[in-house]
């Protein structure tokens, strides 16, 4: 049995991203989405989510490139700083510095847990049944981060979480030289996968067997998606996507994903992707389905 969750990240980022995720769900193959509690189009996303009962909606935990839900005095180690001085009530920019601090044990687990709880609770208090969690830039792949996020999930009654470790098997890597560096990073980070799965099991939560298209973020095209689908193993997997419209609102947001969002929307709503999934006997499910089974 081969099952696939197709999750649209960044729900709530802009109105154009919201519209694209809904279109990719109604007219295409997206089955779940993750909502940013601090996104500028959060309120609209909540209304849209409530009107789409088949769409599993989770919380996209943001710990980089964004504004926290909690006040700055409660999350000092997570904020942008110069030396030991916090310079703004914003998270750090990009993943590199965050990763170094996480690996070096310089981020407070208590602060991560508190901020994650606050973000999940904002969705729940808005009437969203939070089906699962993942994180912006996949920050929860680090033990210093996934442990407190799992505690936050348990405290909020959330049963499922993304497995942020990508399987690269059968992909013709030689055909995608522009992604070699990212695939190398993915393979190195897979050393943390066993520790993550053990932590999920101990927390009595559930997670898919792995994830596809993390390394291909911003570069996903018809050829690569076909390559991925044709190599999905038995089990339950997730494919990460970022549909959106490259409009004026998106131009004002810090993101490297612009034209690629419209390309992904086209692919995800095309007839060939449905035919491809059917030909490969892959069943589409949502995180709501996964959580209900557990």
């Amino acid at each position: 049995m081969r099952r696939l969750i197709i999750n649209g990240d960044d729900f709530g980022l802009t109105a154009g991203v919201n519209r694209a995720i809904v279109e990719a769900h109604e007219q295409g193959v997206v089955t779940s989405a993750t909502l940013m509690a601090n996104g500028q189009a959060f309120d609209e996303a909540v209304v849209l989510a409530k009107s789409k009962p088949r769409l599993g909606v989770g919380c996209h935990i943001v710990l980089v490139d964004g504004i926290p839900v909690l006040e700055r005095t409660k999350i000092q180690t997570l904020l942008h700083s110069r030396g030991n001085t916090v310079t703004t009530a914003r998270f750090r920019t990009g993943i590199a510095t965050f990763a170094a601090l996480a690996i070096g044990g310089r981020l407070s687990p208590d602060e991560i847990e508190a901020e994650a709880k606050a973000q999940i609770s904002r969705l729940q208090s808005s009437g969203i049944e939070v089906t699962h969690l993942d994180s912006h830039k996949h920050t929860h792949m680090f033990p210093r981060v996934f442990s407190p996020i799992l505690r936050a999930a348990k405290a909020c009654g959330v049963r499922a979480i993304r497995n942020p470790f990508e399987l690269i098997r059968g992909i013709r890597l030689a055909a995608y030289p522009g992604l070699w560096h990212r695939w190398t990073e993915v393979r190195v980070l897979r050393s943390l996968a066993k520790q993550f799965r053990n932590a999920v099991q101990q927390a009595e939560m559930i997670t898919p067997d792995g994830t596809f298209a993390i390394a291909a973020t911003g570069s996903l095209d018809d050829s690569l998606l076909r390559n991925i689908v044709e190599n999905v193993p038995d089990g339950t997997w997730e494919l990460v996507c970022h549909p959106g419209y490259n409009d004026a609102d998106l131009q004002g947001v810090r993101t490297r994903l612009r034209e690629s969002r419209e390309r992904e929307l086209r692919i995800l709503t095309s007839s060939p992707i449905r035919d491809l999934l059917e030909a490969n006997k892959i069943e589409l499910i949502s995180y709501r389905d996964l959580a209900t089974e557990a």
Side-chain angles (χ1 to χ4, degrees):
M1 178 177 66
R2 297 192 293 169
R3 305 194 303 175
L4 190 63
I5 298 165
I6 302 183
N7 191 90
D9 285 14
D10 299 345
F11 201 26
L13 181 65
T14 66
V17 168
N18 291 349
R19 180 159 56 98
I21 286 176
V22 169
E23 289 177 11
H25 171 62
E26 291 186 321
Q27 304 169 29
V29 294
V30 165
T31 58
S32 287
T34 32
L35 176 54
M36 307 171 90
N38 51 7
Q40 67 182 42
F42 172 83
D43 291 336
E44 181 196 57
V46 167
V47 173
L48 290 170
K50 290 178 179 178
S51 71
K52 309 300 172 189
R54 293 186 300 106
L55 182 68
V57 179
C59 184
H60 196 56
I61 302 292
V62 177
L63 298 175
V64 294
D65 289 342
I67 300 171
V69 171
L70 293 178
E71 60 186 62
R72 62 188 293 176
T73 57
K74 296 181 179 179
I75 49 170
Q76 293 283 299
T77 69
L78 305 183
L79 300 180
H80 183 76
S81 61
R82 184 174 293 109
N84 294 321
T85 303
V86 172
T87 58
T88 180
R90 293 186 63 88
F91 294 124
R92 292 178 176 86
T93 300
I95 188 64
T97 300
F98 182 93
L101 294 172
I103 293 169
R106 294 171 58 193
L107 302 177
S108 165
D110 290 341
E111 292 180 1
I112 293 172
E113 181 178 355
E115 177 63 23
K117 279 183 184 177
Q119 292 186 24
I120 298 166
S121 295
R122 186 172 188 216
L123 270 64
Q124 292 174 328
S125 64
S126 298
I128 298 295
E129 176 195 352
V130 178
T131 59
H132 64 294
L133 303 180
D134 58 31
S135 62
H136 191 49
K137 303 291 181 72
H138 314 289
T139 54
H140 75 287
M141 70 177 62
F142 304 107
R144 189 80 173 182
V145 182
F146 66 62
S147 293
I149 283 183
L150 287 170
R151 292 196 296 272
K154 288 278 286 183
C156 294
V158 180
R159 296 292 315 282
I161 189 169
R162 170 179 290 168
N163 182 335
F165 299 99
E166 182 163 8
L167 177 66
I168 299 175
R169 192 185 79 174
I171 307 295
R172 295 184 293 275
L173 300 183
Y176 308 100
L179 296 178
W180 288 352
H181 177 69
R182 296 204 68 190
W183 269 319
T184 299
E185 292 177 336
V186 165
R187 282 179 165 157
V188 170
L189 290 168
R190 280 190 65 82
S191 62
L192 302 172
K194 183 177 180 179
Q195 191 175 349
F196 171 79
R197 294 195 67 89
N198 288 341
V200 171
Q201 185 175 12
Q202 290 172 9
E204 299 180 323
M205 290 181 61
I206 51 177
T207 191
D209 293 303
T211 302
F212 293 102
I214 289 178
T217 297
S219 301
L220 193 66
D221 58 18
D222 299 88
S223 173
L224 183 51
L225 184 55
R226 173 175 290 276
N227 209 328
I228 289 171
V229 169
E230 290 175 346
N231 287 280
V232 172
D234 287 343
T236 300
W237 303 83
E238 179 183 0
L239 188 141
V240 176
C241 61
H242 299 81
Y245 283 98
N246 187 21
D247 55 17
D249 286 342
L250 191 66
Q251 294 300 314
V253 172
R254 180 183 174 83
T255 177
R256 69 181 179 88
L257 307 180
R258 300 194 187 280
E259 294 85 359
S260 65
R261 294 183 189 267
E262 294 192 356
R263 181 175 65 246
E264 289 192 20
L265 176 60
R266 176 188 59 78
I267 295 170
L268 294 165
T269 55
S270 66
S271 297
I273 182 59
R274 286 191 177 278
D275 296 340
L276 179 63
L277 291 164
E278 183 176 347
N280 284 273
K281 296 181 171 59
I282 294 175
E283 177 188 359
L284 290 181
I285 68 168
S286 71
Y287 264 106
R288 176 177 286 111
D289 300 324
L290 188 65
T292 301
E293 294 172 359

